[in-house]
Amino acid sequence: MTDQDKLMHTVAITEVINRYFAALDQKRFDVTTMGQIFADDAKIVRPNGAVTKGPKEIGDSHSRSLSRFQATQHLTSGFTITLKDDASAEFRANLVAIHLWAEGHGDPNADPYDNYFLAGGVITGHVILGASGWRMAEIGNQVRWRRGTGFQEMLQTK
């Protein structure tokens, strides 16, 4: 594989990962969007250890979970892409996620402008190259820190 091929694959993989977090923030959980991001047998491992498999189930799970927020913003940086061969790679990146609780969620005693939480961590995973391009086969999030309100609600699997 040439250096140019490696660069092209790295950019394409980074784009798939960024598309995933954009879909979360835009609340685009339909099977078409998730199918453009995830392989058919993909799995996500949430910070609480819950595992969800397949694009439809992943989208449905995110839809339920993120309905608790009026808005989110997921910021990624520091991508490290390790190509294993021509059709698979592993990745690592930093993630800072901002979550603004929707009315009736989070800490009921907090001022609405202070009813949010932040989380920072590391995402890792595996991607594969198929006929439709790079897709995530697995992604996990190891949260390193949290700040804000409503942690007990946030930790519930929905």
Side-chain angles (χ1 to χ4, degrees):
M1 182 181 309
T2 68
D3 287 345
Q4 184 176 0
D5 290 336
K6 290 178 185 177
L7 180 60
M8 288 178 21
H9 287 310
T10 297
V11 169
I13 292 165
T14 301
E15 183 177 318
V16 168
I17 298 164
N18 281 328
R19 249 193 337 250
Y20 169 59
F21 290 107
L24 295 182
D25 294 339
Q26 296 163 355
K27 296 186 178 187
R28 295 191 58 215
F29 307 121
D30 58 277
V31 72
T32 300
T33 300
M34 294 292 107
Q36 293 170 344
I37 296 166
F38 291 102
D40 291 341
D41 59 349
K43 72 176 185 176
I44 62 166
V45 181
R46 292 184 183 255
N48 66 4
V51 175
T52 306
K53 295 181 180 179
K56 181 178 181 343
E57 290 75 16
I58 290 169
D60 291 347
S61 174
H62 281 320
S63 180
R64 286 187 303 274
S65 180
L66 295 178
S67 69
R68 301 176 284 179
F69 305 106
Q70 63 176 311
T72 62
Q73 187 174 29
H74 293 79
L75 307 171
T76 55
S77 67
F79 284 90
T80 302
I81 310 294
T82 305
L83 296 168
K84 295 300 186 184
D85 53 44
D86 289 346
S88 69
E90 294 178 352
F91 65 86
R92 179 206 185 278
N94 299 309
L95 174 68
V96 175
I98 302 138
H99 304 76
L100 304 178
W101 290 106
E103 187 174 330
H105 293 276
D107 183 347
N109 300 314
D111 181 289
Y113 294 107
D114 294 328
N115 198 15
Y116 63 88
F117 77 89
L118 310 171
V122 174
I123 55 169
T124 57
H126 183 78
V127 290
I128 56 174
L129 180 61
S132 299
W134 288 99
R135 298 292 185 265
M136 276 198 255
E138 182 173 347
I139 185 170
N141 181 1
Q142 298 88 42
V143 175
R144 303 284 196 237
W145 58 267
R146 293 182 174 104
R147 298 288 181 271
T149 63
F151 290 126
Q152 292 308 311
E153 183 173 352
M154 185 258 321
L155 293 174
Q156 294 175 12
T157 302
K158 290 194 176 191

